[in-house]
């Protein structure tokens, strides 16, 4: 039944709606892809001094990852299609059709996409992210460590989702390759430093 492919397609389109870019436009701010780390995401909006907008970006990006996956999951779609829907949301966020295919790093969107699996996994992911952020000061490192940890956690308590979660992790890590290079060269700015990293 090819109606099942409607879910990944709609998820891709919803994922393509970049809340960071739209909210920056709404508040007459420059495109986030020209500011700071040039990432249209919650952290970069925060970095540029817009805490409340950053919170909205985070919530919207989580919800747009969560909604299609949650519906697909609730309708009892086969695991393959639920997984494809989750991946499609994140691909939409990273390569948005509405914004020249230049999108974000999928952290908040992937968190939303795995939320329907259970609050145990999402809670653990948020805790991991916060602990690494507090210990290191690097938001990008927090995201990378959380992405590496996600498939390990899920393999422990719901192994049937390991492959799907690992796919999201790979996408997140790939989207952080510039951050990884900067971390390696010790040029990555910490979250509470105002320095812009032009790259
Ligand atoms: O601007 O390149 P930048 O320094 O903006 O940004 C790097 C950063 C980008 O991430 C964001 C989103 C911030 C969301 C924060 C809360 C995240 C909580 C837990 C995430 C867990 C991810 C799980 C993935 C499961 C597959 O990285």
């Amino acid at each position: 039944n090819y109606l099942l492919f409607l879910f990944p397609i709609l998820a891709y389109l919803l994922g393509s709606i970049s809340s960071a870019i739209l909210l920056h436009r709404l508040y007459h701010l420059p495109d986030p892809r020209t500011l700071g780390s040039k990432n249209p995401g919650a952290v970069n909006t925060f970095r540029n001094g817009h805490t409340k907008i950053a919170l909205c970006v985070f919530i919207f990006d989580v919800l747009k990852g969560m909604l299609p996956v949650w519906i697909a999951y609730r309708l009892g779609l086969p695991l393959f299609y639920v997984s494809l829907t989750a991946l499609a949301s994140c691909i939409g966020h990273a390569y948005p059709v509405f914004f020249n295919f230049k999108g974000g790093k999928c952290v908040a969107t992937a968190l939303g996409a795995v939320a329907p699996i259970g609050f145990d996994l999402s809670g653990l992911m948020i805790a991991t992210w916060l602990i690494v952020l507090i210990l290191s000061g690097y938001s990008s490192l927090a995201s990378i460590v959380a992405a590496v940890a996600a498939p390990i956690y899920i393999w422990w308590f719901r192994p049937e989702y390991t492959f799907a979660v690992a796919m999201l992790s790979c996408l997140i890590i790939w989207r952080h390759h510039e951050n990884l290079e900067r971390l390696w060269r010790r040029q990555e700015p910490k979250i509470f430093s105002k320095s812009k990293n032009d790259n």
Side-chain angles (χ1 to χ4, degrees):
N1 191 345
Y2 51 85
L3 261 175
L4 290 169
F5 282 107
L6 213 60
F7 275 88
I9 292 166
L10 290 175
Y12 171 75
L13 294 175
L14 185 62
S16 284
I17 302 171
S18 171
S19 65
I21 299 172
L22 290 176
L23 286 170
H24 277 239
R25 271 188 204 169
L26 187 68
Y27 289 97
H28 304 287
L29 299 166
D31 190 314
R33 295 172 297 178
T34 64
L35 300 169
S37 68
K38 303 185 167 42
N39 184 52
V43 166
N44 199 33
T45 301
F46 174 81
R47 179 184 286 122
N48 289 292
H50 310 290
T51 311
K52 282 182 199 153
I53 302 175
L55 194 66
C56 294
V57 169
F58 173 69
I59 292 169
F60 185 92
D61 285 351
V62 169
L63 288 178
K64 80 177 184 187
M66 187 155 74
L67 192 73
V69 179
W70 188 73
I71 295 173
Y73 191 77
R74 277 294 155 137
L75 289 176
L77 259 64
L79 178 61
F80 174 76
Y81 292 96
V82 179
S83 307
L84 207 60
T85 303
L87 192 61
S89 295
C90 292
I91 292 175
H93 181 77
Y95 306 102
V97 64
F98 308 124
F99 300 102
N100 298 57
F101 301 98
K102 289 181 74 171
K105 299 183 180 173
C106 306
V107 180
T109 309
L111 179 67
V114 301
I117 297 177
F119 287 108
D120 39 12
L121 178 70
S122 23
L124 266 173
M125 298 324 302
I126 294 170
T128 306
W129 194 88
L130 286 174
I131 290 167
V132 178
L133 180 74
I134 291 163
L135 292 179
S136 73
Y138 297 115
S139 56
S140 54
L141 188 66
S143 301
I144 293 160
V145 172
V148 171
I152 301 170
Y153 291 150
I154 199 67
W155 184 66
W156 263 28
F157 48 88
R158 233 138 320 145
E160 67 271 29
Y161 297 112
T162 308
F163 183 72
V165 171
M167 297 289 282
L168 300 181
S169 295
C170 287
L171 183 59
I172 292 174
I173 295 163
W174 161 249
R175 295 295 293 169
H176 284 82
H177 72 268
E178 288 176 356
N179 300 86
L180 276 165
E181 273 172 45
R182 287 197 293 268
L183 285 163
W184 184 252
R185 288 189 265 116
R186 299 184 175 274
Q187 286 166 358
E188 178 77 331
K190 296 201 175 187
I191 192 157
F192 289 115
S193 81
K194 284 272 163 207
S195 71
K196 309 263 155 107
N197 48 88
D198 295 42
N199 200 306

